[in-house]
Amino acid sequence: MAERGAPEGGSKGKATDIRRVAVPGVATAGLPFSHVVMDDTYAFLSGIVASDLPGGAGAHGDIARETELVMAAIRDALAGIGLGMERIVRVDVHLSEIGRMPEFDRVYRRFFPSGAFPARTCTQSGGLAGGSNLEITVMARL
């Protein structure tokens, strides 16, 4: 469900529409954020953790399964706004243990079959929501 925001200033004084979209099947637990915020150029996806997804908490401890669930949710969220994974230009990954990056990467790679990977930052972050082992945030070009 899209929510049309008030026009906000863009480059050279041009008004830009800001749109907000909820992603079906991804929880917010009543927290004050939008799943997807779009302007005329980019779609920004809020961080997604396995705990946000149906059955995701059951995957905790299995970094490959958590990665699969979160990346599939990102793919589906993008599809819901008419974009494919190839439109992703930037990814921020937060891992509870940076040493698990090779396990994460094995699954992550499969979501970019052309090998055209987006720019990416990967950091170790403690205390991810719901006890998740990873959180992924995405920026995609419309």
Side-chain angles (χ1 to χ4, degrees):
M1 166 183 292
E3 172 189 314
R4 186 177 172 99
E8 298 188 15
S11 63
K12 298 184 184 176
K14 179 184 170 212
T16 301
D17 286 331
I18 304 296
R19 299 171 306 282
R20 292 165 177 82
V21 179
V23 177
V26 178
T28 62
L31 297 172
F33 69 90
S34 298
H35 290 135
V36 180
V37 177
M38 296 181 289
D39 63 15
D40 292 339
T41 308
Y42 293 101
F44 302 90
L45 279 68
S46 291
I48 298 176
V49 296
S51 295
D52 292 338
L53 308 170
H60 288 171
D62 182 346
I63 194 87
R65 182 68 182 134
E66 282 190 52
T67 304
E68 183 77 34
L69 287 169
V70 171
M71 291 299 292
I74 289 168
R75 179 196 60 218
D76 295 347
L78 289 173
I81 58 172
L83 301 177
M85 296 293 282
E86 75 283 354
R87 301 303 295 172
I88 296 174
V89 294
R90 178 169 174 79
V91 176
D92 291 311
V93 179
H94 304 279
L95 296 172
S96 62
E97 296 176 48
I98 201 73
R100 299 187 79 183
M101 194 180 328
E103 296 169 82
F104 166 79
D105 278 340
R106 276 191 286 279
V107 176
Y108 177 86
R109 286 176 183 282
R110 294 195 318 247
F111 284 85
F112 301 96
S114 68
F117 300 110
R120 184 177 94 178
T121 299
C122 193
T123 62
Q124 181 167 312
S125 302
L128 296 174
S132 294
N133 290 297
L134 66 102
E135 180 171 2
I136 302 174
T137 304
V138 169
M139 180 175 149
R141 182 82 186 234
L142 298 178

